[in-house]
Every structure is written in C-alpha cells, then in structure tokens.
Amino acid sequence: MPQWFTRHGWQLFIVLGLISVLAIAAACGGDDDDDDGGGDDGGGGKSEALKIGVLSSFTGDLSDFGEPIFNGAQLAADEINAAGGVLGQDVQLVRGDDGTNPDQGVTEARRLVDVEGVQAMVGALASGVSLQVAETVTGPAGVPQISPASTSPGLSDANDDDFLFRTTISDAGQGLLLAQLADQEGLTNVCTMYINSAYGEGLSNAFAAAFKDLGGTVVAEVPHEGEAASYATELGQCEGADALAAMSYPETAGIYLREAVEGEMFPNYLFVDGTKSSDMVEQLGWDAFDGAKGTAPSSLPTDQVGPFEERYQAAYGELPPLPFIKEAYDAVYLIALAAVAADSTNGADIRDSLRDVANAEGTTVNPGEDGFAAALTALGNGDDVNYEGVSGPIEFDDKGDPQVGAIEYWHIDAANKELVTDKVFRVDFASGEVTDITEEATGGG
C-alpha cells in the first residue's frame, strides 16, 4: 500500500462519505418547498425570482440618458416589491452598460442572460444596439426584451422571434411631425446629420420622405460615425441648407454643432429626441440655440403622470427633462404583470402574456404600489387586466410596437436655460390620424 494512502487514506473515506450524503440530499431536494430552482416546473414547483436586466447607456454617446432611465426602472421594481412582488418574491434588477455601442451591448446582454440569468430585459436605448441584441441574444435565448427608447422603424421587422417589444412609438411618427414642424417654420432646404445607425438612418429617411411630400428640399442626408475629432467634411455636404437637423446623440452632436456655430454655417437648427439634452446645450451655450425647435416622443395624457413625478422626485430628486424615463418604468411593470398572469418567470411564458396584460381588455390597472396590488388581486381572481401606464395606454401590435403614442414639439429657452414643451400630438398608426392634444396633455397650455 502506498505511503500516502497509509497516512491520508482516512481523509479520502471522509470525503467520499460526504459526497454520498450530498448526493442523497440533492436527490431529495425536489420535495423541498423552499426550492427555487429553474423556474416554473409546471407541476406546482416554485418559480425563480424574476430577474430583469436593464441594458442602458451609462457610458458612451447616450450617457446623459442612462442613469435617469435606470432610475425609472428601479422605481417600478421598488413599488412592485412593496406591493408583494412577483409570485411571492421580490423583483431583482441587474444593470448592464451597453456603452451606446452594438458590440458592447451584445457582450453585456450575453452576460445578463448567460451569467446573471435574467428572464427578461429592459433596453437597450439606441436602436442599433437593441436590434443587435434582439437578433443575436434575446431572441435566440427566448428572453423578452422591451426597449423604452429605440424608435427606428427598422425594429418592427427585426428577426427576433417576437421577443422584441418597445414602449415608445416608431420614428415613422417623429419623422412626419418633424417635417411638419420644419414646414411651419418656413424652412425650405434642410440637411440632416445622422448617426450611422438604425436609429439615425430610420429617422432621417422618415423625415426626408415626409418633408419632400410637403414640398421641401432635403439638401443631403449625411451619415456620420460616433465621437470623431471633427465633422468638417460631413458639414461641408450640407452647404446651401437653411437648417441643420441634428439626428445624433449628445456627445457626438455636441462636436459638430460647436463646429457649425463657430463657423456660422446655418441660420436654423432642428433637434430630435437624441439631441434633446440640456447638458449638451449648456456645454455649447444656450444663447447659440435660443428658440431652436425639435421633436421627441412624449406621453399620452394620463392622470398617472403627476403621481409618478412626485414618486420619482421623492426617490431621486429632480426629474430630468428627458424622454423615455416613463417608458422604462412602464416596461418593468408590463414584464412583472406578464409573469404574474402567466404564473411563470419563464421567458417565453412572459412573452406570450405581454399583449394580454397590455392591450385593451380586462380590468384597468395602473402603476404604483396600490395599482400593482389591485392587479395581483384581479389576476388572483382569474380576471384579465389591462395595464395603462404613465406613458399612456400601451397597445402592442403584432410587431411588438405600440399602436398609439405621442410626439411633442419643444424649443430651447435660453433665458431660463430650459427645454420647453410647446405642443403634443397623438399619433395613431392604426388609423393614420395625428391629433393635437396639447391642451389635454399640458392642462391648458
């Protein structure tokens, strides 16, 4: 017998004994009521706690938006947990930073799914990131993904196996309203500078088509890459335009807008949701853009807005004048309600219940602790629910897009250093109608 076994063999027998005990315990584990293993087992077993990945832009070109949008999602999770959670357990949010970059977004999405084990995802913000994530990560993995901010029309035709949804409307609506705004302002020759992504290209194309239909001229549609040292070459392609439409993100737009202002290249500027950033304007100088106008997705009138703003401010301080915070908040509620309705935290089950809890049938339920508690009661009684959120009633079509949404006109007020909403329009894609709802949305102006 080897000397090692003589001296240490008794330790080997102890180890083997422990392995046997653990194996027996594992075999009996399926009968433990506290086991929270791999989701709803279909036989009365307990589902995993619902983990939602929040893939936001904490760095990169959209970093101004990242933290406030995550805060909106976290506020929703906190309220849901205070009302009893999902299937008796607290909802957990897991952060992921996409860096406003498709490659980084895909890497982070894989980590959220494969390592963190999220069963659903809120994000991304940039359309190009959301599209890549949906087609290479969440769609193949069977993880429902709701973007609160991706507006490119191209997302409607993503190869995502119906796992990609969004709580903001397509830029087919924003492009139309921006063209109408340009026409109303008396602009006749507009050049678009757009980030070379699904978002920028989709919005530029939608605007150009609508502006040409109104008799306007699009001098050029100029794509650009992110955060270059200079955009003099791209700006040169816009020669002859009476307005520059900045269809980018704050970090990049801030570079070429500074060059344009310093070179006195354009008498007018148009902005969109991606460039609706008070931080960007502050850095560039408010006076340089005083009175400049733009568009952005907005919220439909609902009595939930005021209470939401109060709760957000109580938790995080001032509510920034940024789009998509409300949409992220609503996305978390929709995922949680879908899991409760499905009695499962399995991704495909959540996906299959999203339209059931969002579209207009069943008991109307609202966000907030009391609203979610009421929804739990209704679902527990076997009733259908219809969630109507802070961003408005959300009706998903067969592409996962909201059928109805809102677009606002806003302008830069240099005297007060703020971005001011001027008008709000209801856009109904099903009927093709655009309706001015400013008085209803703003309480009279």
Side-chain angles (χ1 to χ4, degrees):
M1 180 178 292
Q3 185 180 18
W4 180 91
F5 188 87
T6 303
R7 296 172 52 194
H8 301 287
W10 61 273
Q11 295 176 332
L12 177 61
F13 286 121
I14 291 174
V15 171
L16 291 174
L18 286 172
I19 292 173
S20 298
V21 170
L22 291 171
I24 294 170
C28 297
D31 295 329
D32 188 345
D33 290 339
D34 292 330
D35 178 28
D36 62 350
D40 191 340
D41 61 10
K46 191 175 182 181
S47 288
E48 288 182 296
L50 177 61
K51 295 179 71 172
I52 302 173
V54 180
L55 187 62
S56 193
S57 299
F58 298 103
T59 59
D61 225 350
L62 278 174
S63 57
D64 286 357
F65 296 74
E67 196 70 35
I69 285 176
F70 179 83
N71 289 344
Q74 186 64 62
L75 179 61
D78 290 343
E79 293 171 355
I80 289 165
N81 292 340
V86 170
L87 305 181
Q89 300 186 74
D90 282 353
V91 175
Q92 303 171 29
L93 298 190
V94 185
R95 294 165 65 112
D97 179 14
D98 62 35
T100 327
N101 178 282
D103 292 336
Q104 182 173 329
V106 166
T107 299
E108 276 290 84
R110 291 194 191 283
R111 179 184 67 83
L112 291 172
V113 172
D114 296 338
V115 178
E116 300 291 348
V118 303
Q119 303 104 327
M121 196 175 299
V122 173
L125 307 189
S127 294
V129 178
S130 289
L131 187 61
Q132 287 292 317
V133 167
E135 293 189 336
T136 63
V137 182
T138 55
V143 172
Q145 174 188 347
I146 303 181
S147 172
S150 295
T151 54
S152 169
L155 268 68
S156 300
D157 298 317
N159 182 21
D160 62 295
D161 200 21
D162 196 34
F163 280 97
L164 176 61
F165 295 73
R166 51 183 162 182
T167 44
T168 186
I169 65 170
S170 163
D171 270 336
Q174 184 175 192
L176 171 64
L177 269 296
L178 184 64
Q180 292 180 355
L181 176 61
D183 184 61
Q184 292 167 19
E185 292 295 299
L187 304 177
T188 57
N189 300 284
V190 177
C191 182
T192 67
M193 282 271 290
Y194 68 87
I195 186 74
N196 190 15
S197 68
Y199 162 71
E201 183 177 11
L203 180 52
S204 181
N205 291 346
F207 165 79
F211 192 54
K212 290 173 184 176
D213 285 345
L214 293 171
T217 298
V218 178
V219 173
E221 295 182 73
V222 184
H224 65 79
E225 302 304 323
E227 298 187 69
S230 171
Y231 292 95
T233 300
E234 289 85 351
L235 287 168
Q237 298 178 50
C238 292
E239 184 177 355
D242 58 10
L244 175 68
M247 299 178 173
S248 311
Y249 303 135
E251 296 296 326
T252 294
I255 297 172
Y256 67 74
L257 286 171
R258 186 179 298 282
E259 290 182 299
V261 169
E262 291 176 350
E264 299 181 348
M265 300 182 68
F266 307 100
N268 300 287
Y269 294 89
L270 292 170
F271 294 88
V272 293
D273 55 318
T275 44
K276 187 184 180 187
S277 168
S278 55
D279 287 345
M280 180 189 75
V281 180
E282 176 75 32
Q283 292 169 9
L284 293 171
W286 288 90
D287 290 341
F289 300 98
D290 188 29
K293 297 186 176 182
T295 54
S298 185
S299 300
L300 291 165
T302 166
D303 57 9
Q304 300 302 312
V305 173
F308 163 79
E309 292 179 346
E310 291 175 1
R311 296 194 298 270
Y312 186 99
Q313 290 166 358
Y316 302 107
E318 183 181 1
L319 178 65
L322 296 172
F324 311 125
I325 298 171
K326 300 179 183 71
E327 287 79 0
Y329 174 88
D330 284 337
V332 172
Y333 267 99
L334 286 165
I335 290 168
L337 286 170
V340 175
D343 193 27
S344 170
T345 56
N346 173 271
D349 294 339
I350 294 172
R351 184 272 311 268
D352 292 344
S353 290
L354 276 171
R355 290 182 181 86
D356 293 338
V357 299
N359 293 3
E361 291 184 3
T363 302
T364 298
V365 295
N366 300 119
E369 183 178 341
D370 292 342
F372 193 76
L376 292 180
T377 298
L379 290 168
N381 292 334
D383 298 332
D384 293 330
V385 298
N386 170 32
Y387 177 76
E388 297 203 355
V390 176
S391 61
I394 300 166
E395 305 289 318
F396 290 126
D397 64 14
D398 61 356
K399 300 288 189 179
D401 293 340
Q403 299 177 62
V404 180
I407 299 292
E408 68 175 31
Y409 287 168
W410 57 274
H411 77 273
I412 295 173
D413 180 352
N416 295 301
K417 295 186 176 181
E418 61 181 354
L419 311 179
V420 181
T421 297
D422 299 314
K423 288 182 176 292
V424 182
F425 298 87
R426 183 180 189 271
V427 180
D428 187 329
F429 286 107
S431 67
E433 295 181 352
V434 177
T435 308
D436 187 338
I437 57 170
T438 305
E439 184 172 353
E440 184 182 359
T442 62

